[in-house]
C-alpha cells in the first residue's frame, strides 16, 4: 500500500501516479528545422514559458512532432522550474521541458491537475540537480496522489472550480483597481501640465529646460568584468522607477577612483533622467529626495536646477508627465533595440514654469497624491497575496476531503 504525507478520509487511498496514469509521456524536442510561426503542424510547447493560467498559449508550431499530448492531458514542467502545470486543450507537441500525464479510467484528469497544482512545491523538492533542477519519469511515476472514488473526484473538482472562478473574478477586479491606481497619477499630471505650446495660466511661461538648469551632465560607462571591489553605488536605468522614484532594490558598485570629479554626491532636488533605454522607457525620471553618495551611468543624465527659478521636484514631475504622454518616445533617436535623447535635445525640451510659490503648492498636492497611490498599491499587493493564500487553502482542504 502506498503511504502519503497525511491521513485520508474513509474510502480514499494513496496511489502512485504510475498506477493511475494511462501514460506518462516525457517530452522530446524535435529538430529545429521543423519549428515555425506559420501554424504548420501542431502547437509546440517547450516549458513553463508557454503556460497560461490554466491552458498553454501557442507561440511556435512544429511540422514534425516527436511527442504529442492530447486534450485533457496534464502538462507539467519537468525542468527548471519543476512543478508548474497546465491542461492541454488541443493536440500539441511537447519539448523536453514538459511531460504529459494521461489519466487512466479511475482518475479524473482535472483532479490530477488541481492536486499537482496544490503539490507544486513538493514536486519541486523532488527535482534532482544542484544548478539545474529536473524531475525524471521514475520520480513522476512514484509521486503520491490521494485517490477517492471517481464520483467523489468529480464532485470535489466541481466545487473547486466554482470557488476558483470566484477567485479569478476577484483577481480581475483587483487588476482593474491596480490599473486604475496607476492611471490616477497620470491623470493628475496630465491635468496640471499642459502639452508643449499650449496656452498657459496667467503668470506662467514656457522656457527651455536648459534655461533653468545649472547642471545637465551625463554619467560614465563601466563595463569591466571581474571587478569585485567596487565601493561606490553606480546607478543604472533600472534604478529609475516608472513611478518617478529611485529604486535601490538592485544595486551595482564600481571603484570610487573611477568616478569623475563632482559626480559622486547627489543632492536633494536633483533629477535623474534616463536618456537611453527602450522606446517606451526612455525619458523616465527619478527625483533625489536626500543626499546620496552615488555615481550614475552614461544612460542617465543629471539635472540640477537653478533654485531661484525652478524646483527640482517641479522639473521631475513635468518630465514625468511628458513621458506618460509619449513626448520622448516621439522625439528620441532610435536604433536596433534602443532609443535615446541626447543632451542637446534635452536642453531644448519645453517646460511650463509658474512662479516658485505656485510650483511649491502644486508639487505638495501631487506628492500627497503620490503617497496615497503608493498606499493603495501596497494594499493591492496584500490583496494579491491574500488571494494566492486563499487559493492554496481551497486546494489543501479539497485534497483532505474537507470540501
Amino acid at each position: 500500500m502506498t503511504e502519503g504525507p497525511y491521513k485520508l478520509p474513509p474510502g480514499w487511498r494513496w496511489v502512485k501516479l504510475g498506477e493511475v496514469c494511462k501514460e506518462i509521456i516525457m517530452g522530446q524536442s524535435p529538430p529545429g528545422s521543423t519549428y515555425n510561426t506559420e501554424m504548420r503542424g501542431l502547437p509546440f510547447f517547450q516549458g513553463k514559458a508557454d503556460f497560461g493560467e490554466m491552458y498553454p498559449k501557442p507561440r511556435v508550431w512544429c511540422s514534425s512532432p516527436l511527442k504529442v499530448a492530447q486534450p485533457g492531458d496534464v502538462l507539467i514542467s519537468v525542468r527548471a522550474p519543476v512543478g508548474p502545470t497546465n491542461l492541454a486543450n488541443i493536440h500539441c507537441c511537447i519539448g523536453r521541458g514538459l511531460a504529459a500525464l494521461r489519466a487512466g479510467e479511475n482518475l479524473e484528469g482535472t483532479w490530477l491537475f488541481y492536486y499537482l497544482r496544490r503539490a507544486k512545491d513538493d514536486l519541486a523538492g523532488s527535482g534532482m540537480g544542484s544548478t539545474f533542477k529536473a524531475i525524471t519519469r521514475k520520480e513522476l511515476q512514484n509521486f503520491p496522489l490521494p485517490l477517492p472514488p471517481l464520483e467523489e473526484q468529480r464532485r470535489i473538482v466541481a466545487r473547486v472550480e466554482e470557488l476558483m472562478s470566484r477567485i479569478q473574478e476577484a483577481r480581475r477586479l483587483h487588476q482593474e483597481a491596480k490599473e486604475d491606481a496607476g492611471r490616477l497619477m497620470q491623470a493628475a499630471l496630465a491635468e496640471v501640465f499642459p502639452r508643449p505650446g499650449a496656452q498657459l495660466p496667467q503668470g506662467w511661461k514656457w522656457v527651455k529646460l536648459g534655461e533653468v538648469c545649472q547642471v545637465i551632465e551625463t554619467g560614465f560607462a563601466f563595463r569591466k568584468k571581474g571587478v569585485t571591489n567596487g565601493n561606490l553605488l553606480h546607478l543604472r536605468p533600472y534604478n529609475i522607477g516608472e513611478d518617478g522614484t529611485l529604486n535601490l532594490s538592485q544595486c551595482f558598485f564600481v571603484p570610487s577612483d573611477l568616478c569623475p570629479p563632482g559626480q559622486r554626491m547627489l543632492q536633494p532636488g536633483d533629477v535623474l533622467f534616463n536618456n537611453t533605454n527602450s522606446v517606451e522607457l526612455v525619458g523616465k525620471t527619478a527625483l533625489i529626495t536626500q543626499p546620496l553618495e552615488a555615481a550614475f551611468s552614461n544612460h542617465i543624465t543629471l539635472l540640477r536646477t537653478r533654485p531661484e527659478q525652478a524646483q527640482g521636484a517641479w522639473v521631475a514631475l513635468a518630465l514625468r508627465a511628458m513621458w506618460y504622454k509619449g513626448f520622448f518616445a516621439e522625439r528620441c533617436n532610435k536604433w536596433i533595440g534602443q532609443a535615446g535623447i541626447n543632451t542637446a535635445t534635452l536642453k531644448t525640451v519645453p517646460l511650463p514654469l509658474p512662479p516658485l510659490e505656485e510650483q511649491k503648492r502644486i508639487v505638495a498636492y501631487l506628492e500627497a497624491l503620490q503617497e496615497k497611490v503608493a498606499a493603495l498599491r501596497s494594499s493591492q499587493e496584500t490583496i494579491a497575496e491574500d488571494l494566492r493564500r486563499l487559493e492554496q487553502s481551497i486546494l489543501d482542504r479539497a485534497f483532505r476531503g474537507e470540501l
Side-chain angles (χ1 to χ4, degrees):
M1 178 181 288
T2 300
E3 294 186 359
Y6 54 84
K7 187 177 179 180
L8 296 176
W12 293 37
R13 60 193 173 98
W14 285 103
V15 297
K16 295 178 181 178
L17 286 186
E19 297 170 357
V20 291
C21 284
K22 187 184 300 181
E23 286 188 76
I24 295 179
I25 305 163
M26 305 303 288
Q28 183 178 348
S29 297
S33 60
T34 66
Y35 302 178
N36 67 88
T37 57
E38 290 79 39
M39 294 190 269
R40 287 184 283 106
L42 293 180
F44 177 36
F45 302 128
Q46 303 179 62
K48 182 183 180 295
D50 295 313
F51 282 2
E53 178 63 30
M54 190 164 185
Y55 304 109
K57 299 176 180 179
R59 299 182 301 170
V60 177
W61 282 256
C62 175
S63 58
S64 298
L66 299 178
K67 299 291 181 177
V68 176
Q70 298 177 2
D73 287 352
V74 177
L75 303 179
I76 180 169
S77 175
V78 295
R79 292 163 60 90
V82 170
T85 52
N86 257 200
L87 275 175
N89 56 349
I90 49 176
H91 283 87
C92 55
C93 172
I94 56 171
R96 60 180 180 170
L98 296 178
L101 310 179
R102 190 164 298 157
E105 60 182 12
N106 294 319
L107 177 63
E108 188 73 19
T110 46
W111 174 267
L112 175 60
F113 167 72
Y114 282 116
Y115 181 72
L116 292 180
R117 179 159 286 191
R118 178 254 175 211
K120 183 177 70 172
D121 291 342
D122 297 329
L123 280 161
S126 301
M128 303 295 290
S130 57
T131 58
F132 190 84
K133 290 283 186 182
I135 192 168
T136 65
R137 179 199 298 271
K138 184 176 181 180
E139 287 163 337
L140 285 173
Q141 289 173 331
N142 291 328
F143 195 78
L145 170 77
L147 192 73
L150 198 56
E151 285 306 311
E152 181 73 352
Q153 293 176 43
R154 290 168 179 160
R155 182 192 69 79
I156 293 174
V157 164
R159 179 62 175 152
V160 166
E161 291 184 335
E162 176 190 351
L163 295 172
M164 290 300 178
S165 68
R166 296 180 186 177
I167 290 177
Q168 283 303 104
E169 176 63 11
R171 282 203 175 106
R172 185 188 67 78
L173 294 173
H174 167 256
Q175 183 61 31
E176 286 183 1
K178 189 175 180 180
E179 291 170 359
D180 287 343
R183 286 192 288 264
L184 182 62
M185 195 65 190
Q186 291 187 37
L189 289 170
E191 184 179 353
V192 169
F193 295 98
R195 288 191 173 274
Q199 185 174 354
L200 295 175
Q202 187 174 359
W204 293 38
K205 60 181 178 179
W206 285 106
V207 297
K208 293 179 180 178
L209 183 61
E211 296 171 4
V212 298
C213 289
Q214 57 178 313
V215 175
I216 298 183
E217 186 174 27
T218 300
F220 66 94
F222 185 83
R223 301 184 181 89
K224 291 184 180 179
K225 295 182 179 179
V227 175
T228 58
N229 61 342
N231 56 357
L232 179 65
L233 177 63
H234 193 240
L235 298 172
R236 304 296 179 93
Y238 52 70
N239 296 124
I240 298 178
E242 295 184 26
D243 60 354
T245 63
L246 196 63
N247 182 348
L248 298 181
S249 60
Q250 182 180 356
C251 294
F252 184 83
F253 293 86
V254 299
S256 57
D257 58 0
L258 297 180
C259 181
Q263 259 197 34
R264 59 182 300 165
M265 183 57 74
L266 299 175
Q267 305 172 7
D270 283 351
V271 180
L272 300 181
F273 178 89
N274 183 198
N275 63 56
T276 305
N277 210 318
S278 59
V279 172
E280 66 273 12
L281 293 180
V282 69
K284 59 180 181 165
T285 57
L287 177 70
I288 302 299
T289 58
Q290 57 186 357
L292 179 65
E293 186 173 7
F296 46 96
S297 86
N298 59 317
H299 291 168
I300 293 175
T301 303
L302 168 66
L303 307 174
R304 184 170 294 159
T305 63
R306 303 180 190 277
E308 72 279 5
Q309 292 180 282
Q311 274 195 307
W314 175 264
V315 169
L317 288 165
L319 294 176
R320 186 174 161 199
M322 297 170 78
W323 177 61
Y324 281 144
K325 294 173 183 175
F327 178 89
F328 299 108
E330 293 174 359
R331 290 161 177 80
C332 61
N333 296 314
K334 301 177 181 71
W335 55 97
I336 298 175
Q338 279 191 325
I341 297 285
N342 60 40
T343 301
T345 299
L346 189 57
K347 288 180 178 180
T348 65
V349 166
L351 181 76
L353 193 70
L356 269 176
E357 288 305 311
E358 182 76 352
Q359 292 178 41
K360 292 175 183 177
R361 183 187 66 79
I362 295 174
V363 164
Y365 158 73
L366 290 173
E367 287 181 343
L369 180 61
Q370 175 85 359
E371 289 181 9
K372 291 178 181 178
V373 169
L376 183 58
R377 282 179 167 163
S378 178
S379 68
Q380 288 168 345
E381 292 304 319
T382 301
I383 292 171
E385 180 58 23
D386 287 345
L387 289 172
R388 188 198 66 78
R389 282 199 295 262
L390 177 59
E391 182 178 74
Q392 191 64 28
S393 174
I394 289 169
L395 293 176
D396 284 342
R397 291 186 61 194
F399 294 101
R400 291 177 182 272
E402 298 173 2
L403 280 187

